[in-house]
Amino acid sequence: MEVVVDETELPVAVVGAGPVGLAAAARLVERDLPVLVFEAGSEAGTSVRQWHHVRLFSRWGELVDPAAEKLLAPTGWVAPPADAYPTGREWAQRYLQPLAEVLGERVRFGARVVGVARRGRDLVVDAGRASEPLTVHVRSHGGSENGAGGGVEELVTARAVIDASGTWTGPNPLGGDGLPAPGEAAAADRIVYQVPDLNDPGVRARYAGQRVAVAGSGHSALTALVAFAELAAEHPGTHVDWLLRRGQVGNAFGGGAADELPARGALGRRAAEAVEAGHITTVTGFRTAAVERVDDGLVLVGDDGRRLDPVGQVVAVTGFRPDLSWLSEVRLDLDPVLQAPRGLAPLIDPNVHSCGTVYPHGAGELAQPEPGVFLVGMKSYGRAPTFLAMTGYEQVRSVVAAIAGDEDAARRVELVLPETGVCGGAGLFDEPEGAAAGGCCGSPVPVSLSLGTPPTD
C-alpha cells in the first residue's frame, strides 16, 4: 500500500548554509513554508570562512538579502555601512552567522547531504514518479566536515530541494586539460588551490624568499599577484612566475576605471603595477602537462615541452567545478560544457560573455526535469566563473515563489545591475582607493558579476 503524502506539509530541503542557501531559507520563512537547511560544516558560511582574508568586490548594500534583513531586523541586528567592502570573515561573522541563529533549528550543522532521489524510484523508473516526494539522504557527523568516525544516516522526505552547496570544494586542477597533471597529486605539499593568507605568519614564512608559480588569469590570480608583490618588496628573493594558458595577457587586468565595480577595477590596476615593478614574470600560452619534483622544488612542464625554472610553491587558481555525484538519481538537464542548467548556460558562457552581460534569471532557467529540484548560487553556474551574491538572491526569490505556486512572482525580474568592465573575480586585500565608477559598454543592463570565485583561463 502506497503512503499518500501531502507535500505542502513537507519541508523544502536547502543544501548549504552559505549566503544563497540562507537567503533561500529566509525567503521560505517569509512565505511561511517549512524549511530545513543542511550544512556539512560546523558553522554558517563554512566556505566563505575559507577565504576569510579576501575582501569582496561588492559593498555591504549588495551582500544582504532583503528577506534576510527583514528576518534579522526584530533581533536588533544593525546592517553594516552599505558602502563598505567586507572581508569574507566579516561577511560570515556579521551577517551569515546572525542569520543562521535567527533561523535556529531550521539549520542543521554537521549534516552532509550524500544523495537526493525520488522516493522508491531510481533514475530510470517512470511509474508513479510524479506522485512521490523527494528523499534527501543525510549523514550527520557532529560538525566534523570530513565525516570522520562514521555518523548517523537518515532519510528526510522533502517537498523540494534547493541545491546551494556551491563549488568551493571542487577546485580545478593545475593540469591544463582539466585533469590533475601527472605528478600533481604527489606534489600536494607544495600546491594550494586558493589565494594564500599572507597575513598569517606561518603562511607568510612558507612563501617568503621563494620562487612561486601562480596559475590562473582571473581575479583570484590578480589578488595573489598583488599580495606576493608586497611580500617580495619586504623579502628579497621572492618572485612569481605568472602562468597564463592564454597566449597573451590581453584583458586579464580587467576594465580599470571603466569597471563599475570600483574595487575590482582597482585590483586590476594594482596587479598591473605589480607586474611592472619587476617582481613577476609573465609566462603566456603555458598549459601544465606534468609536475616533476627536483631537489629545490617543482618543475612545471608545459604541453609544448617547455620546462620552467624550479619553483618552491605553486598557487593554482584556475576556477571551480560542481560536485554532481550526489545528484545522480534525480533527472538533470545540464549543459555538456559548463555543467550548468541548460536554460542558464547560454547566458553565462565565458566563451561568449566577456563583458559581464549576464541577465538576471530565476526558476524558469533553473528548473530541472526532476520536479522540485533546483540548482542555485555558484552551483547553478557550473564551471562558469562569474557570479554575484545579488544574482543568487534573485534566483532564490524566484525559485521560492515557484515552489509556493506564485508563478507571477517567479516570472518577474526584480533585479537590474550595471554593465561592468570584465567578467571574473575573487576579491582584494585592502579597501579600494580612488576607484571611480564608470561604464564600459554604454547603458546599464542586467549583469552577473563575480564574488569569491576565480574564473577559469
Side-chain angles (χ1 to χ4, degrees), residues 91-140:
W91 198 21
Q93 292 179 347
R94 300 183 64 182
Y95 169 62
L96 300 179
Q97 190 62 41
L99 179 55
E101 290 171 359
V102 169
L103 290 167
E105 294 183 355
R106 299 180 183 93
V107 184
R108 292 177 47 182
F109 295 106
R112 181 179 298 279
V113 174
V114 296
V116 176
R118 187 65 62 180
R119 188 177 67 177
R121 275 76 178 164
D122 65 22
L123 187 67
V124 302
V125 176
D126 287 332
R129 195 176 194 91
S131 61
E132 292 299 318
L134 294 161
T135 55
V136 182
H137 295 235
V138 181
R139 181 178 298 132
S140 299

Side-chain angles (χ1 to χ4, degrees), residues 25 69 86 112 118 139 158-159 166 215 225 248 295 300 352 356 384 406 412:
E69 187 168 15
R112 181 179 298 279
R118 187 65 62 180
R139 181 178 298 132
R159 172 182 182 175
L225 296 183
Q248 56 186 359
D295 290 341
L300 304 185
V352 177
D406 187 349
R412 190 165 59 243

Side-chain angles (χ1 to χ4, degrees), residues 208-223:
Q210 294 271 330
R211 192 176 190 96
V212 180
V214 174
S217 64
H219 288 81
S220 283
L222 300 187
T223 300

